[in-house]
């Protein structure tokens, strides 16, 4: 390989490396260990030779068993490839600019072989090396389109192997705001995701707020997210209050925000008539809550009355408890402390009974807990 490269025959050196792996994989070199250092040593020269040779070299690397090569040790070679590739692109651009068409020609850029190789490594193996993931992110942020980076971020979800703060810094440096918003979202930083999304478009911010609700954020946090969206609309459309009211009205139809939570952010002179539908809807919600609370209070009142009646009916009843009787819960003697005896014959120390009832009542709906507490008080 070294001899071929010294004579400028990169194609021949590449064929030797490819044939070396083929002979090893077909079993013709079973007794000999695979020498991965050959690829680490000569990858820089082959990757930087030309785009065509770099493409064939990556094809060879992809074919090699992933257990036999450490992708992290190939990063320096691809760093040199990336630098050589950028230099070739600048030279091509200078030639286009100096042409008679004044630079109107389009440079046909070949796919980045570093992205091709490391994407294959990450997709086809259980690669959990942060160095590999971080380097792939550094390549993807320089890609002309956002889609490859966004797909990579979505794939690794809320447990990224790459350092997400480093990835965010690179996204901001290369103006990949859509990807930055996606990174914030997948790690659960919905507030920051919406703030970044609002610099792109309103629909993206609304979509993130909806996805946050589907992810199970609590109602209070969900309202804060939607308030970020609503406040942004009001601020952007501050010179067109009518447009702001229409957009905010549309937002209120898709979230749990109420009109009274949004109105403080509007100018004092805004007409309430613009929110007639939302005001009516908000009043109806308040009325429904008041009715529900009234029904709940009535039910508790009836329950308390029944408890009082039961207590009154039990005043004249008696039960005989021997001085050696023990609490059916704790096993302690009951004669020296306040106790409760039931018609069925069970006897309990009152404090033990109350603590045990409350412990189980906490697992029940609130409507069951309140009567039990009333029983204790009465």
């Amino acid at each position: 390989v070294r001899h071929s490269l010294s004579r400028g025959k990169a194609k021949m050196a590449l064929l030797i490396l490819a044939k070396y792996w083929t002979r090893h994989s077909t079993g013709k070199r079973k007794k000999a260990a695979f020498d991965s250092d050959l690829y680490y040593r000569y990858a820089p020269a082959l990757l930087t030779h030309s785009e065509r040779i770099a493409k064939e070299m990556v094809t060879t690397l992809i074919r090699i068993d992933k257990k036999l090569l450490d992708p992290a040790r190939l990063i320096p070679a691809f760093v040199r490839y990336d630098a050589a590739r950028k230099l070739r692109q600048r030279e091509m651009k200078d030639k286009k600019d100096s042409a008679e068409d004044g630079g109107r020609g389009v440079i046909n850029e070949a796919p980045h072989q570093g992205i091709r190789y490391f994407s294959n490594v990450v997709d086809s193996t259980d690669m959990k090396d942060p160095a590999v993931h971080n380097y792939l992110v550094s390549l993807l942020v320089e890609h002309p389109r956002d889609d490859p980076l966004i797909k990579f971020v979505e794939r690794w979800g809320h447990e990224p192997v790459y350092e997400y703060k480093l990835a965010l810094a690179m996204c901001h440096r290369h103006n990949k705001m859509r990807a930055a918003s996606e990174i914030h979202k997948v790690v659960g930083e919905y507030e920051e995701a919406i703030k970044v999304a609002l610099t792109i478009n309103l629909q993206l911010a609304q979509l993130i707020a909806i996805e946050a609700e589907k992810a199970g954020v609590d109602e209070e946090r969900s309202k804060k997210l939607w308030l970020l969206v609503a406040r942004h609309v009001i601020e952007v459309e501050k010179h067109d209050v009518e447009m702001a009211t229409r957009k905010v009205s549309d937002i209120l139809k898709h979230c749990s925000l109420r009109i009274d939570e949004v109105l403080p952010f509007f100018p004092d002179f805004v007409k309430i008539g613009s929110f007639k539908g939302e005001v009516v809807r908000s009043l109806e919600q308040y009325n429904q809550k008041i009715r529900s609370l009234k029904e709940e209070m009535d039910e508790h009142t009836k329950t308390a009355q029944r408890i009082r009646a039961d207590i009154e009916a039990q005043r004249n009843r008696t039960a005989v408890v021997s001085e050696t009787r023990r609490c059916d819960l704790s096993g302690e003697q009951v004669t020296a402390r306040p106790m409760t005896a039931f018609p069925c014959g069970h006897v309990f120390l009152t404090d033990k009974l109350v603590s045990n009832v409350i412990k189980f009542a906490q697992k029940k709906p609130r409507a069951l807990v309140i009567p039990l507490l009333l029983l204790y008080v009465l």
Side-chain angles (χ1 to χ4, degrees):
V1 175
R2 182 170 57 250
H3 177 70
S4 298
L5 288 174
S6 66
R7 297 176 60 190
K9 295 184 178 182
K11 180 69 174 178
M12 179 61 69
L14 181 61
L15 289 174
I16 293 172
L17 288 177
K19 188 175 181 179
Y20 175 76
W21 162 246
T22 301
R23 289 173 61 85
H24 184 87
S25 62
T26 54
K28 295 181 179 179
R29 291 177 54 88
K30 280 185 178 180
K31 296 182 179 180
F34 181 77
D35 187 5
S36 58
D37 285 339
L38 282 173
Y39 298 87
Y40 303 140
R41 189 181 312 134
Y42 297 112
L46 291 169
L47 288 172
T48 56
H49 183 274
S50 67
E51 198 64 36
R52 180 174 61 84
I53 293 297
K55 180 180 179 180
E56 294 182 18
M57 179 61 179
V58 168
T59 300
T60 299
L61 293 174
I62 289 175
R63 288 173 180 170
I64 297 174
D65 189 338
K66 302 300 186 295
K67 298 178 181 179
L68 300 177
L69 282 180
D70 181 4
R73 293 187 62 182
L74 288 168
I75 290 178
F78 279 99
V79 170
R80 292 178 61 178
Y81 159 78
D82 187 59
R85 185 174 188 270
K86 290 176 180 176
L87 179 60
R88 286 195 293 267
Q89 289 177 339
R90 284 196 298 269
E91 291 174 349
M92 291 177 63
K93 185 177 184 301
D94 292 340
K95 290 180 181 179
K96 290 288 184 180
D97 291 341
S98 62
E100 293 181 356
D101 62 2
R104 289 190 297 271
V106 178
I107 300 175
N108 184 21
E109 294 185 357
H112 196 294
Q113 297 306 315
I115 293 178
R116 179 184 168 215
Y117 174 68
F118 287 104
S119 294
N120 177 270
V121 168
V122 168
D123 291 340
S124 61
T125 64
D126 188 25
M127 171 56 64
K128 295 296 180 65
D129 188 341
V132 172
H133 283 247
N134 289 335
Y135 182 63
L136 179 55
V137 171
S138 72
L139 297 177
L140 292 174
V141 294
E142 295 184 358
H143 195 281
R145 296 183 293 106
D146 288 352
D147 294 348
L149 179 56
I150 292 174
K151 289 180 180 178
F152 175 79
V153 170
E154 289 176 342
R155 184 199 164 185
W156 290 97
H158 64 282
E159 293 182 351
V161 178
Y162 58 90
E163 297 178 21
Y164 83 93
K165 291 185 178 179
L166 176 62
L168 285 170
M170 289 189 287
C171 287
H172 285 283
R173 190 182 310 127
H174 292 85
N175 198 32
K176 297 290 185 180
M177 306 312 292
R178 176 68 181 83
S181 176
E182 187 68 25
I183 293 173
H184 280 300
K185 185 187 74 174
V186 297
V187 299
E189 297 177 352
Y190 295 109
E191 292 82 359
E192 295 301 321
I194 287 179
K195 290 177 183 177
V196 175
L198 287 171
T199 65
I200 305 172
N201 61 63
L202 178 63
Q203 290 72 25
L204 178 59
Q206 289 178 300
L207 181 60
I208 292 173
I210 293 173
E211 290 183 6
E213 290 178 343
K214 292 180 179 179
V217 300
D218 56 64
E219 184 177 356
E220 182 179 356
R221 190 180 181 191
S222 176
K223 286 186 176 183
K224 289 180 179 178
L225 297 177
W226 283 106
L227 273 176
L228 286 174
V229 179
R231 291 182 65 176
H232 174 81
V233 170
I234 296 169
E235 184 176 349
V236 170
E237 304 291 349
K238 59 185 175 182
H239 299 300
D240 189 349
V241 178
E242 185 177 350
M243 176 62 72
T245 56
R246 285 203 300 268
K247 288 185 176 181
V248 172
S249 296
D250 184 61
I251 291 173
L252 293 177
K253 295 176 184 178
H254 299 89
C255 65
S256 58
L257 281 179
R258 299 190 306 272
I259 184 60
D260 58 297
E261 295 172 319
V262 178
L263 279 178
F265 301 108
F266 276 94
D268 295 335
F269 57 82
V270 66
K271 294 181 180 180
I272 196 69
S274 303
F275 293 106
K276 181 180 178 180
E278 283 68 32
V279 170
V280 171
R281 191 180 304 111
S282 180
L283 290 175
E284 289 176 349
Q285 291 176 353
Y286 275 122
N287 288 334
Q288 179 62 36
K289 287 184 178 179
I290 291 172
R291 285 194 295 269
S292 298
L293 288 173
K294 185 176 182 301
E295 291 174 359
E296 188 175 352
M297 290 175 63
D298 291 342
E299 181 63 27
H300 293 330
T301 301
K302 292 177 182 178
T303 302
Q305 290 174 349
R306 289 196 296 268
I307 292 172
R308 292 191 185 96
D310 290 342
I311 292 174
E312 189 65 30
Q314 298 294 331
R315 287 187 184 277
N316 297 325
R317 297 190 62 175
T318 60
V320 178
V321 178
S322 67
E323 61 181 7
T324 59
R325 183 60 193 271
R326 296 182 177 274
C327 174
D328 290 329
L329 281 174
S330 65
E332 301 174 44
Q333 286 191 342
V334 299
T335 54
R337 289 158 59 185
M339 61 180 173
T340 302
F342 287 88
C344 59
H346 287 91
V347 179
F348 305 97
L349 287 169
T350 302
D351 58 342
K352 300 294 183 181
L353 174 62
V354 170
S355 62
N356 196 62
V357 169
I358 291 177
K359 181 180 71 174
F360 285 100
Q362 288 173 346
K363 302 178 182 179
K364 301 296 181 180
R366 181 169 174 266
L368 295 177
V369 178
I370 292 178
L372 291 169
L373 294 177
L374 286 172
L375 174 60
Y376 178 46
V377 173
L378 294 172

